[in-house]
Amino acid sequence: MKAENYIKLEFPARAVNEGFARAAVAAFVSQLDPTLTELGDLKTAVSEAVTNAVVHAYPDSLGVIQLRARILPGGELELVIKDKGVGIGDVERARTPLYTTGGEERSGMGFTIMEGFTDKLRVRSAPGRGTTVTMRRRLTGRG
Amino acid sequence: MQTYPFYSSGCLTVRFVGELDHAAAAGAMRAVTAAAEEFLPRRCVLDLSGLSFMDSSGVAVILRAKRMLSATGAELMVSSPPEQARRVLELAGLSELLIDTERKEVNSR
Ligand SMILES: Nc1ncnc2c1ncn2[C@@H]1O[C@H](COP(=O)(O)OP(=O)(O)OP(=O)(O)O)[C@@H](O)[C@H]1O
Ligand SMILES: [Mg+2]
């Protein structure tokens, strides 16, 4: 499938870049004329995935996060958030609501929110190799 | 993100303004903790009306604040979330903490 338009970004896994990632995705999807609800959902979903890479992927180093967004034919948006960190041993368990390895500073709702705010969520991960989160959401837009 | 505590007759209100994400969560929690220790409220309301964004890190702040306050017998409520924050609260199952401000306004008319 040929993408109609895309962006590719790379940044260090610092908390300050979470807001940057949300703003970048919001600016990119504005060409699809999304509703405010759609915009909020996409910002939330990307924030969850990027925050996971910042919080969980690199416990002992400052790693890199890749963010790709592309518009597919028909106005569907695809978001890919990729890290080369510690990975997830049991993805199915990690996706369970309230499951967290992050203690009381986390709620264990990140994947649940990503799933609820997009049409499709795929998590590919291998321990020691990293995690790739792919989300798709069809936008109806305001038009 | 900014926090604005306000205390009146047993009720501590902390207004959050800005983006409540992972980068802002620790500061927000510190502000709520400091205000709760200063005023020892019976009731605490987190006013979310000024939030331009909130994600699961904000959910964790609300749950931690609720746990902290319940240790002294105080209850925690959440008020006036903009749509984006409200959708996150609903998905996280925290709707029951919401004060129904809309209905109150209707009743007082
Ligand atoms: N990029 C990642 N690298 C390594 N582990 C991850 C990654 N993303 C998620 N995880 C693991 O999956 C668990 C669940 O993630 P999820 O986002 O649902 O909850 P959380 O991050 O723990 O809490 P919250 O998102 O509510 O703040 C995490 O606690 C962590 O163990
Ligand atoms: Mg998370």
Side-chain angles (χ1 to χ4, degrees), chain A residues 85-96:
Chain A
V86 295
I88 303 172
D90 185 342
V91 169
E92 202 183 322
R93 186 169 60 148
R95 288 177 64 157
T96 312

Side-chain angles (χ1 to χ4, degrees), chain A residues 27-76:
Chain A
F28 178 69
V29 299
S30 69
Q31 64 197 287
L32 291 173
D33 202 22
T35 65
L36 278 181
T37 305
E38 288 171 338
L39 201 57
D41 287 2
L42 292 168
K43 281 169 73 176
T44 314
V46 77
S47 191
E48 295 298 345
V50 169
T51 300
N52 275 354
V54 170
V55 172
H56 304 294
Y58 302 107
D60 306 313
S61 60
L62 180 62
V64 166
I65 300 173
Q66 278 177 24
L67 166 66
R68 280 186 290 141
R70 54 178 189 150
I71 296 166
L72 304 172
E76 192 177 15

Side-chain angles (χ1 to χ4, degrees), chain A residues 15-16 18-19 22 37 40-41 43-44 47-48 51 54-55 104-107 109-110 112-113 116-117, chain B residues 19 21-25 52-57 59-61 63-64 67 83-84 87-88 91-93:
Chain A
V16 65
E18 295 155 6
R22 292 194 295 271
T37 305
D41 287 2
K43 281 169 73 176
T44 314
S47 191
E48 295 298 345
T51 300
V54 170
V55 172
E104 69 161 10
E105 279 172 29
R106 315 260 35 112
S107 67
M109 291 306 289
T112 306
I113 289 171
F117 284 1
Chain B
E19 301 195 313
D21 63 358
H22 162 243
S52 52
F53 181 81
M54 187 189 96
D55 61 15
S56 67
S57 301
V59 169
V61 167
L63 291 173
R64 281 177 78 188
R67 238 178 288 133
E83 196 207 356
Q84 184 272 334
R87 284 170 66 79
V88 170
L91 211 62

